[in-house]
Amino acid sequence: MNITLRVWRQKGRGDEGRMVTYKVEDVSQDMSFLEMLDVLNEKLTLAGEDPVAFDHDCREGICGACGVVINGVAHGPETTTTCQLHMRSFKDGDVIDVEPWRAKAFPVIKDLVVDRGAFDRIIQAGGYISAPTGTAPDAHANPIPKADADRAFDAATCIGCGACVAACPNASGMLFTAAKVTHLGMLPQGQPERAARVVKMVNQHDEEDFGGCTNIGECAAVCPKGIPLDTISQLNKDLLGALASGKL
Amino acid sequence: MANSTLTKQRSTAFKSTVALKSAMAVTGGILVLFLIVHMYGNLMIFGGQEVFDEYSHHIRVIGEPMLPPEGALWIIRIVLLASVLIHAYAAFTLWARARRARPAGQRYQTRRKPVQQTYASRTMRWGGVILALFVIYHILHLTTNNIAPGGASDSPYERVVNGFQIWWVLLTYLIAMIAVGFHLRHGIWSATQTLGANKASRQRVLNITATAIALVITVGFLIPPFSVFFGLVS
Amino acid sequence: MTELYIEGDPIRDEKAPEGPIEQRWDKRRFSAKLVNPANRRKLSVIIVGTGLAGASAAATLGEAGYQVSSFCYQDSPRRAHSIAAQGGINAAKNYRNDGDSIYRLFYDTVKGGDFRSRESNVYRLAQVSVEIIDQCVAQGVPFAREYGGLLDNRSFGGVQVSRTFYARGQTGQQLLIGAYQALERQVAAGTVKMHTRHEMLELIVVDGRARGIIARDMVTGEIETHFADAVVLASGGYGNVFFLSTNAMGCNVTATWRAHRKGALFANPCFTQIHPTCIPVSGDYQSKLTLMSESLRNDGRIWVPKKAGDQRDPRQIPEDERDYYLERIYPSFGNLVPRDIASRAAKNVCDEGRGVGPGGLGVYLDFADAIKRMGRPAVEAKYGNLFDMYQRITGENPYEVPMRIYPAVHYTMGGLWVDYDLQSTIPGLFVTGEANFSDHGANRLGASALMQGLADGYFVLPNTINDYLASGPFEKLDENTPEAKEAAESVRARINKLLSIDGNRTVDSFHRELGHIMWEYCGMERTEEGLRKAIERIRELRDEFWQNVKVVGTNDELNQSLEKAGRVADFFELAELMCIDALHRRESCGGHFRAESQTEDGEALRHDDEFAYVAAWEFTGTGEQPVLHKENLEYEYVEMKQRSYK
């Protein structure tokens, strides 16, 4: 099939950027979306033009590196990562708009590549359990009810791709932050730092210029890992509890 | 981790986006309770002029003689005004923040396709502004009677009856009440989520409850004006 | 064959202590010199790579108080490819009370590695495995649990005990996130400085010691010089030399290859692992392969049509016209034979023309019987996520049509040669995880890669690197140090060369062709004739690459073609060494089958008398004969046996 792409091109941070139209011919249904971009890039390279830069690595939906907004939806029409989206979701003659994640906290580096360092800094602020190597008790010292372990796991599957921010009308990073707060907060090991963690992570989230959450739910709807919206409720509860308890 | 940094973290967190929207949730809750009481009062119009005027007079004398005349009313008014101001302040702060979070030059070129967001959630901000304007109009109309379509009166009952016989008055209230409905539909659900009451297993029930309350309030407020317009109350 | 390489002096590991095997690690830890906490601040360590081995080492050395600089080419350390490991992590906890022990894990791993790994190292790995689980649980890794709240285990890869800990199908992700969080905690504490989107392009060796790296800032193109008292490479494996593999697109050999060029020996480069249950290639545009968990073989049945070229819908092929070849050839293990056996059997039936799907490169993995036996809901509960993944990629519904699978390259056992301390032949250069060669021999058991990465990073390296660092801090260096200047200049020259060729072929087209050569001749089955042909073709292609590659753009920007070009250039050199190594090892061993070395019934035949050694190669120049140093392997505890699965 033949596809018309309108892709965001931006040379670097200083450049204004624009949508540029390309034709891609002989696209196979079985190609992944990124493989279709590979085909375009091969063509551009041979023509001496700058290929379209996009982040990607594992191409199996787990590393979280890839992610573009396709026809106005983060990661495109299927609820999955961009690398796991296949061209069979499109049809011959389609015009497809491709844009980077857009948020002040995620400045564009080039074309479709954005800087998601803000997420790392939110984790640095408190998204961990302080367990220096070698200090751990036996793994069975602390049984964890399966329901808690499962909820922690559901939240822990976050891949940090940033689709939640891209989809949020407020450009909020709350689902990402909440996933980590919920993952660690559900586990007994996470309790000693629970109050401090949520406070520090929320402060860092705000510091990074993400917007506030207004519970619209677009984040959870596009999340390729299905991080549930109630994690944000959990974060709110933990934060209000931390502020009320005076445990800090 | 030194205590001083945590203290600072704590005071910063009191100004965080989560704290702001919690303030919105709490003040919004107060306003919803007020609306329910207000709606109940409005329905007294079906008891006739005497009952309705007596009810509105009663509001002014609640708490007497422990409180001065209109004392309780002013307490309620102050609480409501404070709630509205806090609610609006938080809303505008978060709104400005959201605009900063995706500033001009970094907006999407193509229209974003809503995946699951509702009309109600998308219109919270402008809906809120419209409601604020409506409240001013509403106070000028039925409380202070500076605006008196259909003729001024000292009887609240007559103010209502005079006003709602006019089609455009009815229409303004109709639009405003639908806006209230949408605002409450997302607002009530959002408040429960913000205050930490949401869980995956409860999400459906919370959404249904929010829709039900919004619907009851909207319909409850619209029954009296429509009854006036169609001559059921005169 | 001697025209291809020169045999040099044998090499041996001087660091592993003598004595009973269970005491060796304790002995080494005791004899290793310590660095007092106040002095650690003055010592710096560079760690390249942030996968399980790199992130855990950075976090642990940071906690210890060293100044750590950590580098990764991704935009965040959390994206390293360890994240894609699905199955699980082994540990000799014996929580199942099923007779497991450190000794048994050690035994299974040595045997599984087909007797080409070091006993001392493997024993230490098994010892440390127990601590890894404790450490990860303390960090909040959400391993699967039972209703009683205790950790669940499963058996994996044909072993008879349940010692594999797992977190659904995402064990690698959860372990990496745990290590990543520990790393970020140290970044916040100021002990680790993180350099994301930085690629190491050269090693700096001063006075015979590894003293730093040259790295390219992948956003600005700046060529940066970083110094330290020791350098750790945790940069992963080189499976991408095959172009199509289950590795991430960015996985590369550059860090280790650059070190190899500077004098570090490269051991057993031809030992690669081919995983039998990957989703087959669907077309020429394909960029990578996706693995599906081996656990599918527990309930699925593998077959091909009896008749070559049978194009019928698999559901129309009657039972008596199907060949359940694994069940037929290996009646006692059936579909559960080890990875190498299953992979080669699939290749054989496809070579006979009985393969299915596009290009005839695939075999059926059929769940029809399982669905009949267990019911669809049970199959869904057990394998639902894998079936969904298959459907997303292929567009076929595996509940109705049998899945198609084919083997793919997935792990490399070879890597830089290291001693018991994980130190390479360059003093001060340490190598951990998949980047070194040490623990898996010729074949890696399932759920052992995660174990080794974390063992190296959390427990082994932090206890051995101090022995080296105790003699530091070393002389202060700056960018004008001749060795550093020369290294930076060579990097710039290479980049300029790549950008200036302006030929007619893209980097990917070269990489793809190289991958075809490697897969064809240095993949599952190798012959002397094929390998010789491969070496010739690799050399020709490399020459063409340096004359005809087209890299668009400049150095001082984000330039993904340039990044790829540098990596592929190094793959060319590695590919040649892999073929030479494969050629010289005239035995079938572990993951690789040498056609000239088979039993009468076509099974792999090892030659312990001739080849029970580690082949460690020394670089002498591009296209020059490498020098082979043999490290003899001695087995005091496990008796060498020929494997049989019939």
Side-chain angles (χ1 to χ4, degrees):
Chain A
M1 55 190 189
N2 298 328
I3 296 286
T4 304
L5 282 178
R6 292 197 307 198
V7 186
W8 180 258
R9 300 304 308 263
Q10 182 176 342
K11 285 290 282 178
R13 285 179 203 253
D15 184 26
E16 230 180 37
R18 66 215 62 84
M19 300 295 276
V20 178
T21 304
Y22 300 102
K23 296 247 184 260
V24 189
E25 277 139 22
D26 295 327
V27 173
S28 153
Q29 299 263 320
D30 292 325
M31 277 182 190
S32 73
F33 193 83
L34 297 183
E35 284 165 352
M36 184 271 295
L37 288 181
D38 288 343
V39 170
L40 169 67
N41 279 344
E42 289 283 289
K43 207 175 89 176
L44 289 175
T45 304
L46 289 176
E49 290 178 52
D50 206 13
V52 179
F54 58 92
D55 261 330
H56 63 102
D57 205 20
C58 78
R59 294 207 179 183
E60 45 188 280
I62 193 77
C63 77
C66 67
V68 290
V69 174
I70 300 165
N71 284 339
V73 180
H75 288 309
E78 314 282 340
T79 313
T80 179
T81 55
T82 305
C83 64
Q84 293 291 289
L85 174 68
H86 284 71
M87 293 311 290
R88 66 182 76 90
S89 300
F90 300 90
K91 50 183 199 306
D92 189 35
D94 274 1
V95 179
I96 305 173
D97 290 326
V98 189
E99 287 193 73
W101 290 167
R102 295 204 187 267
K104 191 176 180 203
F106 288 170
V108 173
I109 294 174
K110 184 181 180 182
D111 297 340
L112 305 171
V113 177
V114 299
D115 179 356
R116 285 169 291 198
F119 273 5
D120 286 337
R121 292 188 290 275
I122 291 177
I123 299 296
Q124 282 160 25
Y128 49 75
I129 289 171
S130 297
T133 306
T135 59
D138 186 87
H140 267 179
N142 221 341
I144 302 174
K146 193 171 184 330
D148 289 350
D150 285 350
R151 182 144 195 249
F153 189 93
D154 287 340
T157 55
C158 169
I159 55 174
C161 64
C164 44
V165 176
C168 177
N170 305 315
S172 174
M174 210 44 95
L175 191 67
F176 169 81
T177 312
K180 190 48 64 194
V181 165
T182 306
H183 162 208
L184 300 177
M186 285 299 108
L187 300 170
Q189 306 91 298
Q191 297 315 309
E193 294 165 296
R194 187 170 180 176
R197 176 184 309 121
V198 66
V199 165
K200 291 192 284 184
M201 287 180 76
V202 167
N203 285 345
Q204 188 65 36
H205 167 275
D206 288 2
E207 175 86 0
E208 296 290 346
D209 276 328
F210 287 107
C213 165
T214 54
N215 305 318
I216 286 174
E218 286 297 274
C219 51
V222 299
C223 175
K225 295 294 148 185
I227 304 293
L229 194 59
D230 69 347
T231 54
I232 297 184
S233 197
Q234 185 69 51
L235 173 143
N236 297 336
K237 192 174 175 179
D238 282 13
L239 184 83
L240 297 176
L243 293 180
S245 72
K247 270 188 195 160
L248 295 172
Chain B
M1 190 63 62
N3 273 336
S4 61
T5 55
L6 270 181
T7 315
K8 192 164 156 278
Q9 290 274 4
R10 185 162 184 268
S11 57
T12 310
F14 269 110
K15 289 173 247 154
S16 64
T17 50
V18 178
L20 279 174
K21 64 178 191 167
S22 302
M24 287 188 77
V26 171
T27 52
I30 293 170
L31 295 170
V32 170
L33 289 178
F34 164 72
L35 283 183
I36 292 171
V37 175
H38 187 340
M39 176 193 78
Y40 172 76
N42 287 5
L43 292 172
M44 288 196 181
I45 202 154
F46 292 105
Q49 182 163 8
E50 211 170 302
V51 173
F52 191 72
D53 286 353
E54 169 55 29
Y55 148 72
S56 65
H57 172 71
H58 182 70
I59 297 172
R60 281 160 175 75
V61 297
I62 296 177
E64 281 184 46
M66 291 277 285
L67 294 170
E70 297 202 358
L73 183 64
W74 275 106
I75 292 172
I76 294 168
R77 280 176 175 162
I78 287 165
V79 169
L80 290 177
L81 185 67
S83 297
V84 168
L85 289 178
I86 293 171
H87 199 79
Y89 167 78
F92 281 112
T93 310
L94 287 170
W95 193 350
R97 224 200 130 78
R99 286 185 65 83
R100 265 208 318 278
R102 192 172 284 135
Q106 281 186 42
R107 304 249 157 85
Y108 287 100
Q109 301 288 306
T110 43
R111 209 184 154 70
R112 253 171 325 152
K113 211 184 279 165
V115 182
Q116 70 90 52
Q117 57 181 273
T118 56
Y119 180 77
S121 68
R122 226 174 21 243
T123 52
M124 285 303 275
R125 286 174 183 147
W126 283 109
V129 171
I130 291 169
L131 288 182
L133 294 173
F134 166 74
V135 167
I136 295 168
Y137 160 71
H138 174 60
I139 290 171
L140 290 175
H141 175 205
L142 289 173
T143 310
T144 63
N145 215 208
N146 293 55
I147 302 172
S153 167
D154 285 340
S155 158
Y157 183 87
E158 280 174 17
R159 290 179 191 172
V160 170
V161 172
N162 293 349
F164 288 120
Q165 282 171 350
I166 302 163
W167 68 269
W168 61 264
V169 177
L170 180 74
L171 188 66
T172 53
Y173 275 76
L174 173 66
I175 291 169
M177 286 310 112
I178 290 173
V180 167
F182 278 117
H183 202 77
L184 293 186
R185 159 52 222 132
H186 183 70
I188 293 170
W189 137 254
S190 184
T192 55
Q193 160 91 357
T194 295
L195 295 176
N198 182 28
K199 269 190 191 158
S201 55
R202 260 185 231 157
Q203 198 158 315
R204 211 177 113 78
V205 177
L206 286 177
N207 267 309
I208 292 172
T209 312
T211 311
I213 295 176
L215 208 62
V216 166
I217 290 180
T218 309
V219 172
F221 272 114
L222 284 174
I223 289 173
F226 271 90
S227 305
V228 170
F229 189 75
F230 289 110
L232 298 175
V233 173
S234 60
Chain C
M1 204 189 307
T2 46
E3 84 281 4
L4 287 169
Y5 67 92
I6 301 164
E7 186 162 343
D9 298 332
I11 183 174
R12 63 181 290 258
D13 170 20
E14 309 279 349
K15 300 282 177 48
E18 303 283 312
I21 198 160
E22 61 276 9
Q23 290 171 16
R24 289 180 193 167
W25 179 226
D26 275 350
K27 268 191 181 166
R28 180 59 195 141
R29 277 195 290 184
F30 184 73
S31 66
K33 280 176 262 171
L34 298 179
V35 180
N36 103 40
N39 286 341
R40 291 180 200 158
R41 274 195 299 277
K42 300 174 198 151
L43 291 160
S44 54
V45 181
I46 283 173
I47 301 180
V48 180
T50 58
L52 289 180
S56 57
T60 306
L61 293 176
E63 280 161 12
Y66 297 105
Q67 286 177 44
V68 179
S69 294
S70 175
F71 293 80
C72 66
Y73 71 79
Q74 298 92 343
D75 71 322
S76 163
R78 68 180 295 150
R79 313 219 190 274
H81 197 57
S82 305
I83 204 158
Q86 298 171 356
I89 177 167
N90 287 330
K93 279 285 196 187
N94 193 29
Y95 281 158
R96 284 306 161 106
N97 194 27
D98 56 3
D100 197 12
S101 62
I102 289 170
Y103 198 88
R104 189 176 296 280
L105 176 54
F106 154 71
Y107 178 89
D108 286 349
T109 308
V110 169
K111 182 171 169 234
D114 223 1
F115 304 95
R116 293 294 176 264
S117 50
R118 282 188 201 136
E119 280 190 335
S120 303
N121 283 51
V122 176
Y123 194 87
R124 174 178 66 188
L125 178 66
Q127 277 175 308
V128 166
S129 70
V130 176
E131 292 172 73
I132 296 173
I133 302 302
D134 299 343
Q135 176 63 28
C136 294
V137 167
Q139 286 173 342
V141 170
F143 284 119
R145 288 183 183 264
E146 297 173 319
Y147 283 96
L150 298 176
L151 295 164
D152 193 15
N153 292 117
R154 59 185 175 198
S155 78
F156 205 83
V159 294
Q160 286 152 308
V161 293
S162 287
R163 63 159 78 100
T164 304
F165 293 78
Y166 65 100
R168 289 188 209 158
Q170 288 130 283
T171 317
Q173 181 199 22
Q174 294 308 320
L175 295 173
L176 182 67
I177 297 293
Y180 156 74
Q181 287 168 192
L183 170 66
E184 294 294 359
R185 178 171 158 258
Q186 292 309 307
V187 173
T191 60
V192 176
K193 183 147 176 33
M194 190 67 229
H195 302 266
T196 58
R197 293 197 198 267
H198 275 67
E199 184 166 22
M200 166 181 164
L201 293 179
E202 197 52 273
L203 181 73
I204 301 172
V205 181
V206 180
D207 296 336
R209 294 177 189 276
R211 289 301 312 278
I213 63 168
I214 305 290
R216 179 173 177 270
D217 179 329
M218 293 156 73
V219 175
T220 63
E222 195 183 330
I223 305 300
E224 302 172 350
T225 308
H226 296 267
F227 295 108
D229 294 301
V231 175
V232 180
L233 299 185
S235 50
Y238 48 85
N240 269 351
V241 69
F242 291 88
F243 186 69
L244 286 182
S245 77
T246 66
N247 282 188
M249 301 301 286
C251 291
N252 67 81
V253 76
T254 293
T256 44
W257 191 257
R258 293 284 126 190
H260 173 57
R261 290 177 61 108
K262 286 276 164 107
L265 301 188
F266 208 115
N268 297 336
C270 80
F271 285 169
T272 51
Q273 184 165 66
I274 316 274
H275 197 289
T277 52
C278 296
I279 300 177
V281 179
S282 67
D284 290 336
Y285 50 80
Q286 187 133 358
S287 59
K288 82 152 272 160
L289 297 170
T290 303
L291 182 83
M292 290 193 296
S293 170
E294 214 167 0
S295 62
L296 287 169
R297 289 200 278 144
N298 287 327
D299 289 299
R301 295 181 72 195
I302 294 172
W303 64 276
V304 288
K306 280 189 175 155
K307 207 165 67 216
D310 193 334
Q311 294 293 334
R312 280 176 293 177
D313 180 319
R315 288 166 293 186
Q316 309 298 324
I317 301 177
E319 276 298 313
D320 60 349
E321 291 178 41
R322 299 177 176 192
D323 178 13
Y324 295 90
Y325 58 90
L326 287 177
E327 296 168 28
R328 174 172 58 81
I329 309 173
Y330 307 100
S332 60
F333 276 73
N335 293 301
L336 288 172
V337 290
R339 290 178 177 177
D340 49 344
I341 311 268
S343 297
R344 201 160 51 77
K347 179 180 158 49
N348 288 344
V349 295
C350 291
D351 288 350
E352 290 163 18
R354 298 194 287 147
V356 297
L361 293 176
V363 298
Y364 289 123
L365 173 62
D366 198 338
F367 271 76
D369 284 354
I371 291 170
K372 223 176 283 164
R373 175 166 46 87
M374 304 155 64
R376 181 167 161 161
V379 172
E380 249 179 68
K382 217 166 162 184
Y383 303 110
N385 58 340
L386 294 168
F387 279 34
D388 291 348
M389 179 171 82
Y390 181 85
Q391 182 157 18
R392 209 176 306 122
I393 293 173
T394 62
E396 292 172 3
N397 180 353
Y399 293 103
E400 281 159 18
V401 190
M403 290 190 261
R404 287 172 295 111
I405 56 168
Y406 199 65
V409 176
H410 137 89
Y411 187 87
T412 53
M413 280 76 68
L416 289 183
W417 186 91
V418 289
D419 60 19
Y420 192 67
D421 281 2
L422 304 182
Q423 185 166 226
S424 71
T425 45
I426 301 176
L429 180 72
F430 293 78
V431 191
T432 60
E434 192 180 347
N436 73 28
F437 87 104
S438 69
D439 296 353
H440 305 298
N443 178 48
R444 183 176 62 75
L445 285 183
S448 283
L450 302 181
M451 172 170 70
Q452 188 222 338
L454 289 180
D456 286 0
Y458 280 132
F459 298 106
V460 179
L461 181 80
N463 280 298
T464 57
I465 198 170
N466 37 294
D467 187 62
Y468 176 78
L469 288 172
S471 47
F474 302 107
E475 181 198 358
K476 241 186 142 31
L477 304 173
D478 64 29
E479 288 178 20
N480 294 319
T481 307
E483 290 87 344
K485 226 169 158 175
E486 189 253 296
E489 274 319 309
S490 73
V491 166
R492 284 196 192 97
R494 201 164 117 100
I495 289 173
N496 289 340
K497 169 87 179 140
L498 287 168
L499 287 168
S500 65
I501 297 168
D502 194 29
N504 296 315
R505 280 184 72 178
T506 62
V507 178
D508 270 359
S509 84
F510 281 105
H511 192 182
R512 205 178 290 267
E513 190 174 338
L514 174 66
H516 277 307
I517 298 172
M518 291 303 286
W519 179 246
E520 188 61 32
Y521 300 112
C522 198
M524 276 182 279
E525 188 171 320
R526 299 146 182 201
T527 63
E528 168 138 9
E529 193 198 344
L531 288 164
R532 282 185 183 280
K533 199 188 288 175
I535 292 169
E536 212 168 292
R537 286 188 53 192
I538 291 166
R539 287 177 174 170
E540 285 165 15
L541 195 63
R542 184 175 61 217
D543 289 344
E544 192 195 337
F545 175 85
W546 283 105
Q547 279 159 23
N548 197 25
V549 74
K550 189 173 183 80
V551 182
V552 192
T554 62
N555 175 51
D556 46 10
E557 61 177 336
L558 181 75
N559 188 337
Q560 292 173 327
S561 311
L562 179 62
E563 293 159 17
K564 267 192 284 194
R567 294 169 192 163
V568 172
D570 287 332
F571 277 137
F572 274 118
E573 296 182 7
L574 166 78
E576 185 179 327
L577 184 66
M578 285 173 75
C579 291
I580 293 173
D581 185 42
L583 189 61
H584 109 281
R585 193 170 278 278
R586 266 178 313 197
E587 63 163 349
S588 297
C589 176
H592 74 280
F593 186 77
R594 183 66 181 261
E596 293 93 344
S597 175
Q598 49 183 306
T599 61
E600 279 166 14
D601 45 2
E603 291 301 319
L605 182 63
R606 229 173 49 219
H607 294 296
D608 293 334
D609 45 340
E610 274 182 90
F611 292 103
Y613 63 79
V614 174
W617 299 90
E618 182 188 341
F619 183 81
T620 54
T622 310
E624 303 289 319
Q625 296 158 299
V627 179
L628 170 66
H629 300 275
K630 294 178 179 172
E631 180 198 336
N632 202 32
L633 292 167
E634 278 150 32
Y635 291 89
E636 298 169 56
Y637 291 86
V638 187
E639 191 199 342
M640 289 172 121
K641 273 192 246 167
Q642 207 60 250
R643 296 187 302 166
S644 169
Y645 295 93
K646 293 232 162 169

